[in-house]
mmCIF file of all heavy atoms in Angstrom:
data_model
loop_
_atom_site.group_PDB
_atom_site.id
_atom_site.type_symbol
_atom_site.label_atom_id
_atom_site.label_comp_id
_atom_site.label_asym_id
_atom_site.label_seq_id
_atom_site.Cartn_x
_atom_site.Cartn_y
_atom_site.Cartn_z
ATOM 1 N N PRO A 217 -138.871 -51.595 -46.055
ATOM 2 C CA PRO A 217 -139.572 -50.756 -47.033
ATOM 3 C C PRO A 217 -138.614 -50.233 -48.106
ATOM 4 O O PRO A 217 -137.417 -50.059 -47.853
ATOM 5 C CB PRO A 217 -140.134 -49.613 -46.169
ATOM 6 C CG PRO A 217 -140.186 -50.163 -44.779
ATOM 7 C CD PRO A 217 -139.044 -51.116 -44.672
ATOM 8 N N GLN A 218 -139.147 -49.967 -49.309
ATOM 9 C CA GLN A 218 -138.313 -49.524 -50.424
ATOM 10 C C GLN A 218 -137.617 -48.201 -50.108
ATOM 11 O O GLN A 218 -136.437 -48.016 -50.442
ATOM 12 C CB GLN A 218 -139.174 -49.388 -51.681
ATOM 13 C CG GLN A 218 -139.714 -50.710 -52.208
ATOM 14 C CD GLN A 218 -138.613 -51.629 -52.699
ATOM 15 O OE1 GLN A 218 -137.561 -51.175 -53.158
ATOM 16 N NE2 GLN A 218 -138.851 -52.922 -52.596
ATOM 17 N N GLN A 219 -138.306 -47.272 -49.485
ATOM 18 C CA GLN A 219 -137.688 -45.992 -49.152
ATOM 19 C C GLN A 219 -136.529 -46.167 -48.187
ATOM 20 O O GLN A 219 -135.478 -45.528 -48.329
ATOM 21 C CB GLN A 219 -138.734 -45.049 -48.560
ATOM 22 C CG GLN A 219 -139.842 -44.656 -49.531
ATOM 23 C CD GLN A 219 -140.854 -43.723 -48.890
ATOM 24 O OE1 GLN A 219 -140.794 -43.459 -47.686
ATOM 25 N NE2 GLN A 219 -141.789 -43.226 -49.683
ATOM 26 N N LEU A 220 -136.708 -47.064 -47.208
ATOM 27 C CA LEU A 220 -135.633 -47.310 -46.255
ATOM 28 C C LEU A 220 -134.447 -47.994 -46.942
ATOM 29 O O LEU A 220 -133.285 -47.699 -46.627
ATOM 30 C CB LEU A 220 -136.150 -48.157 -45.098
ATOM 31 C CG LEU A 220 -135.142 -48.468 -43.980
ATOM 32 C CD1 LEU A 220 -134.622 -47.187 -43.362
ATOM 33 C CD2 LEU A 220 -135.778 -49.359 -42.922
ATOM 34 N N GLN A 221 -134.719 -48.893 -47.865
ATOM 35 C CA GLN A 221 -133.630 -49.538 -48.599
ATOM 36 C C GLN A 221 -132.823 -48.519 -49.405
ATOM 37 O O GLN A 221 -131.589 -48.567 -49.422
ATOM 38 C CB GLN A 221 -134.200 -50.610 -49.524
ATOM 39 C CG GLN A 221 -134.798 -51.814 -48.810
ATOM 40 C CD GLN A 221 -135.306 -52.858 -49.767
ATOM 41 O OE1 GLN A 221 -134.978 -52.860 -50.949
ATOM 42 N NE2 GLN A 221 -136.148 -53.758 -49.266
ATOM 43 N N ARG A 222 -133.530 -47.587 -50.086
ATOM 44 C CA ARG A 222 -132.813 -46.555 -50.845
ATOM 45 C C ARG A 222 -131.993 -45.646 -49.926
ATOM 46 O O ARG A 222 -130.863 -45.268 -50.255
ATOM 47 C CB ARG A 222 -133.819 -45.735 -51.651
ATOM 48 C CG ARG A 222 -134.409 -46.489 -52.845
ATOM 49 C CD ARG A 222 -135.122 -45.536 -53.783
ATOM 50 N NE ARG A 222 -136.324 -44.978 -53.166
ATOM 51 C CZ ARG A 222 -137.537 -45.506 -53.289
ATOM 52 N NH1 ARG A 222 -137.721 -46.603 -54.010
ATOM 53 N NH2 ARG A 222 -138.576 -44.943 -52.711
ATOM 54 N N ALA A 223 -132.567 -45.295 -48.776
ATOM 55 C CA ALA A 223 -131.838 -44.439 -47.833
ATOM 56 C C ALA A 223 -130.587 -45.136 -47.306
ATOM 57 O O ALA A 223 -129.511 -44.520 -47.211
ATOM 58 C CB ALA A 223 -132.750 -44.040 -46.681
ATOM 59 N N MET A 224 -130.715 -46.432 -46.970
ATOM 60 C CA MET A 224 -129.557 -47.180 -46.481
ATOM 61 C C MET A 224 -128.506 -47.346 -47.571
ATOM 62 O O MET A 224 -127.297 -47.285 -47.305
ATOM 63 C CB MET A 224 -130.006 -48.538 -45.947
ATOM 64 C CG MET A 224 -130.898 -48.460 -44.721
ATOM 65 S SD MET A 224 -131.483 -50.074 -44.155
ATOM 66 C CE MET A 224 -129.933 -50.819 -43.646
ATOM 67 N N ALA A 225 -128.951 -47.555 -48.832
ATOM 68 C CA ALA A 225 -128.004 -47.676 -49.935
ATOM 69 C C ALA A 225 -127.266 -46.364 -50.166
ATOM 70 O O ALA A 225 -126.042 -46.344 -50.413
ATOM 71 C CB ALA A 225 -128.735 -48.110 -51.203
ATOM 72 N N ALA A 226 -127.990 -45.220 -50.099
ATOM 73 C CA ALA A 226 -127.340 -43.924 -50.267
ATOM 74 C C ALA A 226 -126.343 -43.660 -49.145
ATOM 75 O O ALA A 226 -125.247 -43.117 -49.384
ATOM 76 C CB ALA A 226 -128.400 -42.820 -50.308
ATOM 77 N N GLU A 227 -126.707 -44.037 -47.927
ATOM 78 C CA GLU A 227 -125.793 -43.852 -46.798
ATOM 79 C C GLU A 227 -124.529 -44.693 -46.973
ATOM 80 O O GLU A 227 -123.406 -44.215 -46.740
ATOM 81 C CB GLU A 227 -126.502 -44.236 -45.502
ATOM 82 C CG GLU A 227 -125.644 -44.069 -44.259
ATOM 83 C CD GLU A 227 -126.352 -44.526 -43.006
ATOM 84 O OE1 GLU A 227 -127.512 -44.980 -43.120
ATOM 85 O OE2 GLU A 227 -125.757 -44.435 -41.914
ATOM 86 N N ALA A 228 -124.697 -45.950 -47.400
ATOM 87 C CA ALA A 228 -123.531 -46.809 -47.618
ATOM 88 C C ALA A 228 -122.654 -46.282 -48.753
ATOM 89 O O ALA A 228 -121.414 -46.307 -48.672
ATOM 90 C CB ALA A 228 -123.991 -48.230 -47.917
ATOM 91 N N GLU A 229 -123.289 -45.775 -49.837
ATOM 92 C CA GLU A 229 -122.509 -45.242 -50.963
ATOM 93 C C GLU A 229 -121.734 -43.995 -50.546
ATOM 94 O O GLU A 229 -120.560 -43.826 -50.922
ATOM 95 C CB GLU A 229 -123.455 -44.912 -52.114
ATOM 96 C CG GLU A 229 -122.734 -44.424 -53.366
ATOM 97 C CD GLU A 229 -123.691 -44.149 -54.510
ATOM 98 O OE1 GLU A 229 -124.909 -44.357 -54.319
ATOM 99 O OE2 GLU A 229 -123.219 -43.738 -55.582
#
Side-chain angles (χ1 to χ4, degrees):
Q218 293 295 331
Q219 295 180 354
L220 182 59
Q221 292 182 16
R222 288 194 292 268
M224 295 177 66
E227 181 183 0
E229 183 178 359

